[in-house]
Amino acid sequence: MNNLAFFITFSLLASLSHAIVSDYCVGDLNLPMGPAGYACKNPNNVTVDDFIFTGFRVGGPTNNIFKNNANLAFANAYPGLNGLGISLGRLDFAVGGVIPLHTHRTSEVLILIKGRIIAGFIDINNMAYYKTLEVGDVMIFPEGLLHFQVNIGKKPALAFVSLNSANPGFQVTSSALFAGNLPAELVEKTVLLDHAQVIKLRKLFGNI
Amino acid sequence: MNNLAFFITFSLLASLSHAIVSDYCVGDLNLPMGPAGYACKNPNNVTVDDFIFTGFRVGGPTNNIFKNNANLAFANAYPGLNGLGISLGRLDFAVGGVIPLHTHRTSEVLILIKGRIIAGFIDINNMAYYKTLEVGDVMIFPEGLLHFQVNIGKKPALAFVSLNSANPGFQVTSSALFAGNLPAELVEKTVLLDHAQVIKLRKLFGNI
Amino acid sequence: MNNLAFFITFSLLASLSHAIVSDYCVGDLNLPMGPAGYACKNPNNVTVDDFIFTGFRVGGPTNNIFKNNANLAFANAYPGLNGLGISLGRLDFAVGGVIPLHTHRTSEVLILIKGRIIAGFIDINNMAYYKTLEVGDVMIFPEGLLHFQVNIGKKPALAFVSLNSANPGFQVTSSALFAGNLPAELVEKTVLLDHAQVIKLRKLFGNI
Amino acid sequence: MNNLAFFITFSLLASLSHAIVSDYCVGDLNLPMGPAGYACKNPNNVTVDDFIFTGFRVGGPTNNIFKNNANLAFANAYPGLNGLGISLGRLDFAVGGVIPLHTHRTSEVLILIKGRIIAGFIDINNMAYYKTLEVGDVMIFPEGLLHFQVNIGKKPALAFVSLNSANPGFQVTSSALFAGNLPAELVEKTVLLDHAQVIKLRKLFGNI
Amino acid sequence: MNNLAFFITFSLLASLSHAIVSDYCVGDLNLPMGPAGYACKNPNNVTVDDFIFTGFRVGGPTNNIFKNNANLAFANAYPGLNGLGISLGRLDFAVGGVIPLHTHRTSEVLILIKGRIIAGFIDINNMAYYKTLEVGDVMIFPEGLLHFQVNIGKKPALAFVSLNSANPGFQVTSSALFAGNLPAELVEKTVLLDHAQVIKLRKLFGNI
Amino acid sequence: MNNLAFFITFSLLASLSHAIVSDYCVGDLNLPMGPAGYACKNPNNVTVDDFIFTGFRVGGPTNNIFKNNANLAFANAYPGLNGLGISLGRLDFAVGGVIPLHTHRTSEVLILIKGRIIAGFIDINNMAYYKTLEVGDVMIFPEGLLHFQVNIGKKPALAFVSLNSANPGFQVTSSALFAGNLPAELVEKTVLLDHAQVIKLRKLFGNI
């Protein structure tokens, strides 16, 4: 009987389910976003599958220019992360594969599952910190700094990364410079590259 | 048609409020939430009553299993708190009443108004910090740690608490274990409780 | 035996107690501060008393200009709060007592324990939101906005407040203007007060 | 060919443009706000002009009571700032012009472009820190503290300020006291001003 | 004399590092901590090895009560994480192994590398979300909620987790209840367990 | 007399000046840093000059490779900013001067004071947003994204920028690639530049 009263109190609250402030905010990609992320899916429709991401079971194709596959489980691909401040990625490297130089808005940790890679970052004093990692090794790439990974082994490599934002961004330096609409002249002036080099790389990226 | 109603609501709101960046964001419980809380009520409709909560004037019934009444003024009950990072609770204890072991996502301070209670928390090294509080005493329960309060006096006790989130959560350990849908077997394996104990408590919580 | 191994792992960690990242950071007022608050007291010397504040058991004297006593349990007075993002105050009002117009860096909630007060705040559009509170009523004062409380009852009043910072600041408008070293001329120019008014109030505050 | 695969991966992602978590969140003033700011404008409609604000090219009229013009580029005026945690203002001072005593929720830096001003703030111990600034000088006004600027030169002055919030608020002390609906009696009690002074200033602000 | 030693330590450090605002703050475990983490190691002494953690290359012994090994790379074990808001753990499960019910202050993501486990969490409405994960599956455990993992396969299992704090805490429910100094009577009152059950588990944990 | 009591209360507090939680935390560059910034200078030694920065009165030399002078008032150069979450820079451009492509950890706003520049940034979809700015125009560069400025006028240009961190970092892409210790081979692999280009630029940066 006592516990009955206990449950009545809870039930009343629960019946107003639109009014419950939730422990999580599974992203609803069909509503307008705000600065803190996606609007929350109706909690009544949330199931355990919203919290599980199965897209990392197998690697993706690595037949691209960098011989890699970067599968990013950020909030747009894995809406269960929305608002929770963390995300992940699966990095597959073919032999000779590279995760090209890039930045995120937040810090990243990497753990090497298979293979042998060189991983590194560059700090604001232009000091590069890089080293060969063995299976099981972890490396941290501090917030916002340029970093990269290169498979130096004789077999494919596999790593998982985690970043402390549901939407950390992923800006690949060479794609930013050569694969988009930034005029060649501005690349040349602001990075000091030669015109021929810029044109060659734009072509490589299929960008004329 | 439903969609239409949805957008009409949006448009109406928008036409009134669009240029004002507010100092507050009284929660509108009828709009989709985001990771940072409820959407803001139209500032034109905000009155002083949105900022005042009168639900603590009297205590609630304590005829439940814990002989307590925990009245939580979180953002769903007190939308004026929305986005402001703080909330409160009124704790009424009958003689022998207990606020059972629980956690929140944020820190909590308690001030004892009437009676005599033991309050305490347990840190990550399993060290319990607990002590008898007198009227007027304050105790802090650091972010995320298990804590509890027990009325050890001969009269009812009353305390107010404040937490530094508009939505700090409130997870009662025994309710989580026995009052919901977690299978008994998983409780037994992950907390090491005996099967008979788990069944006894599930019954106590009216959960078969 | 199995559990023995379990404890050995934990013990090793614990023996390096200076290296443990704690759940709390009781302030050590004898070490240099940082932007996030006081340095942490050695965890080995922390006791339950660090988490309890007994300074609110009785009110302080109210024989001052505002007929009040504002006892602030911020991190400097209650170092157990340090780093935990919350603090409190006890407000005693004599008959006619006033908590003068002031601001904090963070939001504040107030709960009225005894008496009858008018409480209010002013938003950026110069709109004042104020109302008479009864015992048990709660009011929120949003972050950074001017606010005040006035005892309008025939008896002393008592309220507790909580703020979502361990160091929210407390800037009383009239003290800032008249009790410190800001030259009268600058007060007059930047607040548009008359010279005679400024001089009268500086005298009232014992400031010439 | 390799790069073709690379682009197909990207294109697929891009085609679901409503699902992209953006690097920015240009405010859409026609949608409901949340505690973290405005909802985001559809990224497909964002152009470079959303990131540029041209409202500071010329100063505004200074023929008001304070002989100033404070042009605030907060998120409501400059929606490209929404969610990015920073904003700006252009301050024009006629000869003798003043930015009256005021507060924000966040810190402010000022840089003097033309003229000669006294700038200052008051801390919680009522200590005023003020000094004459020359062209090119920078001053910081810490979060939440009362501050002001006064043109003491013989010519108009110009300064730009920046604040670390897209919506830092701007509460002018004398406007809050005299230009709004706070009853004169409450001003007198909570700031200790004389009745005549309050009435005089309410008249000055056109508030009867 | 002790004081002298204290200041000599400080001075030495200061003379080397004073003008550099770093991109990282490798923790110096010999200096006092603050609320935001460890003080920073002198940047001049930082090497690439500070950013790499090799403690996950092999699993630890699982011959304990839970048949697990939870190797936590939090800031005290991996000082390179200090101040960067992220950390990791390696979870080894023997056959039948369990990561017991526990909480952290922040969110956690898990990726299953080997084996087959049930993972789950319980929300504030006592709803448990749990499911069997296959190799490569990811699950998110939202901030502060009780969660667990159980090896249900016929072989050992291996998972890595990441949490969005350098010091997320790790509070195991049964250890908090039975392995520390919380009196049995308080456990019984605040969790509703039987006395015999509590005594049995305290014995199991070697706690008399 | 009443006010006397008022002041005694305040004085007692003030006499313990090492225990005051301050409104600001002027950086003491001689003490160890923490993750949140420098330790605070003793408040007793703080003067108004700590809050003022005079290093922007004149521009610096622009006879370098980029024909610019970027004078950064971050916390190491302007310790009064420490802990306050904002900083500034003065950008001088000779004719043809460029602020090369770079990133920060936080957002930046720029205001053009003299001249005519093209300013732009590149988002994660490789879309560049750039435009010519006139005197008085403001542009925002969202957190973490590559951006640049180029003087396209016939005279020197001058701009001020502000960033929402006291230590936002400043990573120039070409310096990171060519001016430090990152091996040429890694630049070539991770950015796809030709060997000859890398060597040419390393020479240009005086890096053999």
Side-chain angles (χ1 to χ4, degrees), chain B residues 43-186:
Chain B
N44 291 333
N45 297 337
V46 168
T47 72
V48 65
D49 292 324
D50 285 301
F51 300 106
I52 294 175
F53 179 77
T54 60
F56 285 172
R57 288 187 180 179
V58 294
T62 56
N63 58 335
N64 55 52
I65 199 170
F66 292 113
K67 299 180 184 169
N68 75 19
N69 188 274
N71 186 350
L72 304 178
F74 293 176
N76 59 327
Y78 182 8
L81 296 175
N82 187 51
L84 295 178
I86 197 162
S87 59
L88 316 87
R90 175 187 169 128
L91 307 180
D92 286 273
F93 304 75
V95 176
V98 168
I99 300 294
L101 199 75
H102 67 283
T103 55
H104 309 282
R105 275 184 286 275
T106 64
S107 297
E108 171 185 325
V109 286
L110 173 147
I111 181 154
L112 186 63
I113 302 297
K114 290 184 191 167
R116 201 155 169 264
I117 68 172
I118 285 184
F121 69 88
I122 311 169
D123 77 7
I124 48 164
N125 300 314
N126 305 322
M127 174 73 79
Y129 295 86
Y130 58 96
K131 197 168 182 181
T132 300
L133 303 184
E134 307 294 335
V135 169
D137 284 356
V138 171
M139 186 163 183
I140 174 106
F141 307 97
E143 183 185 356
L145 297 180
L146 286 163
H147 59 288
F148 60 86
Q149 293 94 21
V150 179
N151 182 1
I152 57 164
K154 296 180 179 169
K155 299 190 208 165
L158 171 64
F160 291 104
V161 293
S162 180
L163 302 105
N164 57 337
S165 165
N167 173 30
F170 179 58
Q171 184 163 51
V172 176
T173 306
S174 49
S175 303
L177 295 178
F178 310 119
N181 65 319
L182 187 66
E185 190 188 355
L186 285 174

Side-chain angles (χ1 to χ4, degrees), chain D residues 117-131:
Chain D
I117 67 173
I118 285 184
F121 69 89
I122 312 169
D123 77 6
I124 50 165
N125 300 313
N126 305 322
M127 173 73 78
Y129 295 85
Y130 58 96
K131 197 166 180 179

Side-chain angles (χ1 to χ4, degrees), chain A residues 86-144:
Chain A
I86 197 162
S87 58
L88 314 88
R90 174 187 169 128
L91 307 181
D92 285 272
F93 303 76
V95 176
V98 168
I99 300 294
L101 199 76
H102 66 284
T103 55
H104 310 283
R105 276 184 286 276
T106 64
S107 296
E108 171 184 323
V109 285
L110 172 148
I111 180 155
L112 185 63
I113 302 298
K114 288 183 193 167
R116 200 153 170 267
I117 66 173
I118 285 183
F121 69 88
I122 311 169
D123 78 5
I124 48 166
N125 299 314
N126 305 322
M127 173 73 78
Y129 295 86
Y130 58 96
K131 196 168 181 178
T132 300
L133 303 184
E134 306 294 334
V135 168
D137 284 355
V138 172
M139 187 165 184
I140 174 107
F141 307 97
E143 181 185 358

Side-chain angles (χ1 to χ4, degrees), chain A residues 106-204:
Chain A
T106 64
S107 296
E108 171 184 323
V109 285
L110 172 148
I111 180 155
L112 185 63
I113 302 298
K114 288 183 193 167
R116 200 153 170 267
I117 66 173
I118 285 183
F121 69 88
I122 311 169
D123 78 5
I124 48 166
N125 299 314
N126 305 322
M127 173 73 78
Y129 295 86
Y130 58 96
K131 196 168 181 178
T132 300
L133 303 184
E134 306 294 334
V135 168
D137 284 355
V138 172
M139 187 165 184
I140 174 107
F141 307 97
E143 181 185 358
L145 297 181
L146 285 163
H147 60 287
F148 60 87
Q149 292 95 20
V150 179
N151 183 1
I152 57 163
K154 296 180 179 168
K155 299 190 208 165
L158 171 64
F160 291 104
V161 294
S162 180
L163 303 106
N164 57 338
S165 165
N167 173 29
F170 178 58
Q171 184 162 51
V172 176
T173 306
S174 50
S175 302
L177 294 178
F178 310 119
N181 65 319
L182 187 66
E185 189 188 357
L186 285 174
V187 178
E188 295 157 28
K189 280 197 176 158
T190 68
V191 195
L192 300 178
L193 297 180
D194 290 342
H195 182 68
Q197 175 75 89
V198 174
I199 295 305
K200 179 176 177 185
L201 283 163
R202 291 186 69 144
K203 283 183 184 160
L204 186 68

Side-chain angles (χ1 to χ4, degrees), chain D residues 94-117:
Chain D
V95 176
V98 168
I99 300 293
L101 199 75
H102 66 284
T103 55
H104 311 282
R105 277 184 286 276
T106 65
S107 296
E108 171 185 325
V109 284
L110 173 147
I111 181 155
L112 185 63
I113 302 297
K114 289 185 193 167
R116 202 155 168 262
I117 67 173

Side-chain angles (χ1 to χ4, degrees), chain B residues 10 14 18-23 36 38-40 83, chain D residues 29-36 38 75-76 105 167:
Chain B
F10 271 61
H18 64 284
I20 304 216
V21 178
S22 296
D23 298 309
Y38 294 108
C40 311
Chain D
L29 278 54
N30 292 317
L31 288 173
M33 292 185 66
Y38 294 107
N76 58 328
R105 277 184 286 276
N167 173 28

